[in-house]
Amino acid sequence: MVECWFMSLKHDLHSHSTASDGTLSPRELVQRAHEAGVDVLALTDHDTLSGIAEAAKEAGELGLVLVPGVEISVSWGGQTVHVLGLNVDPGAPGLQQGLARLQEYRGWRAEEIGRRLEKAGIPGSFEGARALVKGTLVGRTHFARFLVQAGHAGDVREVFRHFLVKGKPGHVRGEWASLEEALEWIADAGGIAVVAHPARYRMTRSKLRRLLGEFSELGGMGLEVVSGSHSRDECFTMARHARDFGLLASAGSDYHGPENPWLNLGQLPELPHGCSPVWTRFNMETDGTVLSNTSG
Ligand code: AMP
Ligand code: MN
Ligand code: MN
Ligand code: MN
């Protein structure tokens, strides 16, 4: 591996803004990353690129590198899996069209969650969730925040547990992109595909390895080995899977805002020994401009 000048920079390659279910605007998020000493930040909102222009502008002013990214919702193996597209061209038509379809589905799903919760005796949750949205995209997190405010649960996690997951009244089965589609859209946009927070899917080891096998067959290149939601043991397990499948290792906090004070931007452990960092493929100018990704 070639040692690059940017190897020692602080990277955080997974974060959310108000463009999806984060609570800081893209501008505020970049300011916060700068304060936290992050040198390279990827904005990876759920199924949308709409925060990137604002984030990139602020990053340019503060002198940090903004990696344009997206976290694509994928249906695979009867469950939802998240695939990050890192260093994508936000203007790529294939990616934009694909995300437009997911946004449309999200719009329908939000209304459907509202209808189901209404049947379960909780009226007005669609309107309540929508009122908390600052971008255009309604997610389950907005429902969770509304239900907490309305006194139906003590915190967001409890809402998920009692209302929004499989078997609960507000659950709607995801109909997201196929793995193949997500990888095509990311490739179309010149990006690097990374399986997000692999330890969070409650998959058996063999199912996870089936996912990683298909993912790399389809051209996927990276695994989020270090995640704000991974224990240290999980990081080491994922580092071994990355090595076995020849995947690059990524690291990201999955920051959603200051409401979760135990998780900050850039506060991540080092990648385990032997990992090939995904950022070695970012082709950056010495002034911090991200140009493209190198394939070799
Ligand atoms: P959605 O893509 O709208 O289905 O929402 C997924 C998002 O909900 C994730 O990105 C998290 O931000 C949040 N989320 C999922 N599960 C939980 C949970 N158990 N507790 C808190 N937040 C969760
Ligand atoms: Mn989220
Ligand atoms: Mn995710
Ligand atoms: Mn995320």
Side-chain angles (χ1 to χ4, degrees):
M1 187 202 307
V2 186
E3 287 291 322
C4 303
W5 63 270
F6 54 82
M7 286 292 284
S8 60
L9 299 182
K10 189 186 270 201
H11 292 78
D12 189 334
L13 300 181
H14 189 158
S15 69
H16 296 272
S17 74
T18 47
S20 66
D21 60 359
T23 57
L24 298 180
S25 69
R27 187 162 172 264
E28 292 165 333
L29 178 82
V30 169
Q31 288 168 349
R32 182 121 188 161
H34 183 62
E35 284 160 19
V38 173
D39 301 296
V40 182
L41 175 75
L43 176 62
T44 54
D45 275 306
H46 297 286
D47 307 320
T48 182
L49 302 160
S50 67
I52 286 174
E54 182 185 317
K57 183 164 178 284
E58 186 65 17
E61 274 161 32
L62 294 175
L64 66 82
V65 175
L66 193 277
V67 175
V70 62
E71 181 171 19
I72 301 181
S73 309
V74 167
S75 295
W76 183 87
Q79 67 184 102
T80 298
V81 167
H82 286 169
V83 174
L84 300 169
L86 295 181
N87 219 1
V88 292
D89 169 7
L95 178 62
Q96 285 185 349
Q97 283 158 25
L99 297 180
R101 191 185 95 208
L102 299 187
Q103 287 158 21
E104 196 180 323
Y105 168 69
R106 272 185 181 277
W108 172 84
R109 184 190 69 155
E111 292 180 28
E112 182 64 17
I113 292 175
R115 285 189 286 268
R116 293 187 187 194
L117 287 175
E118 177 142 24
K119 273 189 205 155
I122 302 174
S125 68
F126 172 69
E127 293 73 16
R130 204 179 43 184
L132 297 175
V133 173
K134 300 209 181 78
T136 50
L137 180 147
V138 193
R140 282 188 297 167
T141 312
H142 300 106
F143 279 88
R145 292 185 189 133
F146 169 73
L147 292 186
V148 171
Q149 281 182 14
H152 294 283
D155 62 32
V156 161
R157 279 161 188 256
E158 196 184 321
V159 180
F160 272 89
R161 220 168 38 241
H162 292 308
F163 298 101
L164 298 178
V165 298
K166 216 177 212 165
K168 301 298 169 180
H171 179 254
V172 178
R173 197 169 58 92
E175 286 168 34
W176 304 112
S178 68
L179 188 59
E180 198 167 3
E181 286 172 326
L183 292 180
E184 259 175 43
W185 303 342
I186 293 168
D188 173 72
I192 297 174
V194 172
V195 174
H197 45 61
R200 290 286 66 79
Y201 302 125
R202 297 163 175 270
M203 283 181 192
T204 59
R205 182 186 143 85
S206 67
K207 185 171 179 182
L208 180 61
R209 290 178 72 88
R210 191 157 60 82
L211 169 65
L212 298 182
E214 280 184 35
F215 176 78
S216 28
E217 290 261 298
L218 291 167
M221 285 177 56
L223 185 65
E224 197 171 51
V225 166
V226 166
S227 162
S229 76
H230 283 176
S231 70
R232 200 62 191 138
D233 272 358
E234 287 169 338
C235 295
F236 286 117
T237 304
M238 294 310 153
R240 283 194 297 274
H241 289 313
R243 192 193 53 204
D244 291 352
F245 287 89
L247 293 168
L248 301 165
S250 191
S253 61
D254 204 2
Y255 184 80
H256 281 71
E259 293 74 14
N260 301 338
W262 60 89
L263 196 155
N264 198 8
L265 285 159
Q267 307 299 296
L268 294 164
E270 297 275 305
L271 287 174
H273 189 72
C275 287
S276 305
V278 69
W279 48 86
T280 57
R281 298 303 170 90
F282 297 164
N283 187 4
M284 289 197 294
E285 290 275 48
T286 42
D287 68 356
T289 318
V290 183
L291 294 173
S292 59
N293 306 307
T294 50
S295 50

